[in-house]
Amino acid sequence: MKPKHLLNLVSDRLHTLPLVVLYLTDGCNSRCVTCDIWRSPRRNMSLERVEQIARDFRELQVRWVLLSGGEAMQHPQWPQIARRFRDENTFVMLLTNGLLLRKQADDLVGNVDEVIVSLDGGDAPTYDAIRGVDAFDLVMEGIGAARERGLPVATRTTIQRSNFRQLPLIVEAAKAAGVNRISFLTVDVSNEYAFGPRFAADASLPVLGSAAPAVSNALSPDEVQEFGGIVEEMVTRFAPDFASGLIAESPDKLRLMVDYFAAINGAAGFPRPRCNSPHISVVIEVDGTLRPCYFLPAMGQLASGDTLRQAINRSAALSLRQQYRTGQRAECERCVCPLYKGPRALLRM
């Protein structure tokens, strides 16, 4: 059955669905400067919708499910939901800001296969400035609690103006906490579909395309040059951690992040990422709205009575996949979070 995954790569119809991303809740207990979802009224995904999704997992050969939000751990039934997906022989990943990790660490055991923690600062003041809560120590204690219970933990840092100088400190803090993987991505400053309605028109801000996004989190030209130097220092200083995979991104991928910030300032074109996420994954929001990924618009709805297979292969979904595949989606040119699985990777699943 594994070769069935390859059929996804030869048409815009999905025959399997390796990755499912679920927004369990719109609620969030952080106040991040790069995300406005916490301003929205809280909605929680119902157990009925969870069941509607889970019952198609075996037929669609779902390999991974990522529980996200909002803050997934604020859903009052998240352990039950995680266990339901695990019962389908799916690898369950929990993406969390970490504020509830210490308190709910026992609920991780037997329900989650991996914890991914957002870590946007290497010290308390920087973390507080970016995440809007004074919780650096609490998050680090939560990571420790998860590791003590045998859970693999990865950290993910969104690189932006307030923390790019701290990348070495973030690596050291994560290593001291005993994490299994350290990952980085660049801040998004232009996508209108991801992370809530973050952008308001402001004539004083640089214009990307037809929008005037809030780019205060991006790097200036001088900071881009400084960031490039920091990356090269990291390549040398943490060479064993790159080689072992502890730092998930290769040196060349970090250098592309420097190029991304340079492109924001008009110094070069955006490095178009290699991505086939819409052909191997789907994002399902609390209300059943379907997206091909975080950064593309809605492609339909998982309505009552639908199967997941039906919903992901309706005409709007096929059209959106065709648009991104043929280079018609401008959002893809500036994507900060590409996901690519080639034929060999799909066959290995």
Side-chain angles (χ1 to χ4, degrees):
M1 293 297 288
K2 289 182 180 180
K4 193 174 179 182
H5 290 304
L6 298 180
L7 296 176
N8 289 5
L9 304 183
V10 297
S11 76
D12 294 318
R13 178 173 296 276
L14 298 189
H15 299 268
T16 66
L17 192 58
L19 170 65
V20 173
V21 179
L22 293 185
Y23 287 0
L24 292 190
T25 178
D26 287 338
C28 190
N29 48 1
S30 289
R31 299 292 183 267
C32 299
V33 297
T34 57
C35 174
D36 277 354
I37 197 170
W38 55 270
R39 300 180 187 274
S40 303
R42 179 189 299 278
R43 299 176 299 170
N44 291 331
M45 182 174 284
S46 69
L47 292 182
E48 291 77 15
R49 189 174 300 283
V50 169
E51 183 59 33
Q52 180 186 16
I53 295 166
R55 65 187 178 218
D56 279 354
F57 267 33
R58 290 182 189 261
E59 181 187 2
L60 288 170
Q61 300 179 32
V62 177
R63 176 67 181 88
W64 303 283
V65 62
L66 176 66
L67 305 182
S68 183
E71 171 47 48
M73 296 186 82
Q74 283 197 305
H75 193 297
Q77 295 163 304
W78 79 261
Q80 180 180 346
I81 293 170
R83 188 164 56 253
R84 175 66 183 91
F85 291 122
R86 218 166 179 239
D87 288 344
E88 296 296 329
N89 294 324
T90 303
F91 189 90
V92 177
M93 300 172 287
L94 176 68
L95 177 59
T96 175
N97 58 29
L99 300 187
L100 295 172
L101 265 182
R102 186 182 68 181
K103 182 178 180 180
Q104 300 186 25
D106 287 338
D107 289 326
L108 299 170
V109 180
N111 296 318
V112 173
D113 294 290
E114 182 182 40
V115 182
I116 304 171
V117 181
S118 298
L119 185 63
D120 287 335
D123 57 28
T126 302
Y127 182 95
D128 187 4
I130 293 173
R131 307 293 294 186
V133 290
D134 182 8
F136 177 77
D137 291 339
L138 177 63
V139 170
M140 300 309 290
E141 290 169 8
I143 291 173
R147 292 295 296 125
E148 287 171 2
R149 286 158 177 80
L151 270 296
V153 176
T155 59
R156 177 168 294 173
T157 300
T158 301
I159 303 170
Q160 54 196 283
R161 172 171 286 171
S162 298
N163 68 4
F164 77 94
R165 296 182 179 92
Q166 286 208 333
L167 263 60
L169 185 59
I170 290 170
V171 171
E172 294 291 3
K175 289 175 65 175
V179 306
N180 305 86
R181 192 171 72 255
I182 302 166
S183 181
F184 300 98
L185 74 163
T186 48
V187 65
D188 171 75
V189 298
S190 62
N191 190 280
E192 62 182 298
Y193 302 112
F195 316 126
R198 301 170 291 155
F199 303 135
D202 185 339
S204 68
L205 295 173
V207 174
L208 299 183
S210 60
V215 296
S216 59
N217 297 309
L219 276 59
S220 70
D222 288 344
E223 289 168 336
V224 172
Q225 185 173 1
E226 184 181 357
F227 178 38
I230 291 171
V231 166
E232 295 308 319
E233 291 174 8
M234 289 180 63
V235 170
T236 300
R237 176 175 171 181
F238 299 114
D241 300 315
F242 283 106
S244 69
L246 177 63
I247 298 178
E249 287 72 33
S250 67
D252 283 343
K253 278 198 172 183
L254 286 185
R255 293 175 181 123
L256 285 176
M257 295 179 189
V258 178
D259 294 342
Y260 167 82
F261 283 116
I264 289 174
N265 289 286
F270 284 90
R272 185 180 178 91
R274 191 182 192 190
C275 180
N276 60 3
S277 177
H279 276 80
I280 59 174
S281 68
V282 69
V283 175
I284 307 177
E285 298 185 5
V286 170
D287 62 357
T289 297
L290 301 173
R291 297 181 183 276
C293 68
Y294 285 110
F295 297 100
L296 288 174
M299 60 180 186
Q301 193 81 16
L302 182 62
S304 177
D306 275 349
T307 67
L308 186 54
R309 177 184 290 278
Q310 290 171 333
I312 62 177
N313 283 311
R314 290 210 167 97
S315 58
L318 297 176
S319 176
L320 198 52
R321 289 190 203 105
Q322 189 271 341
Q323 290 172 23
Y324 106 88
R325 179 175 53 79
T326 56
Q328 298 178 54
R329 300 300 313 191
E331 302 93 340
C332 297
E333 297 176 4
R334 299 170 181 153
C335 183
V336 301
C337 189
L339 172 65
Y340 178 79
K341 295 290 184 183
R344 290 184 181 178
L346 293 174
L347 284 172
R348 286 197 299 266
M349 285 183 185

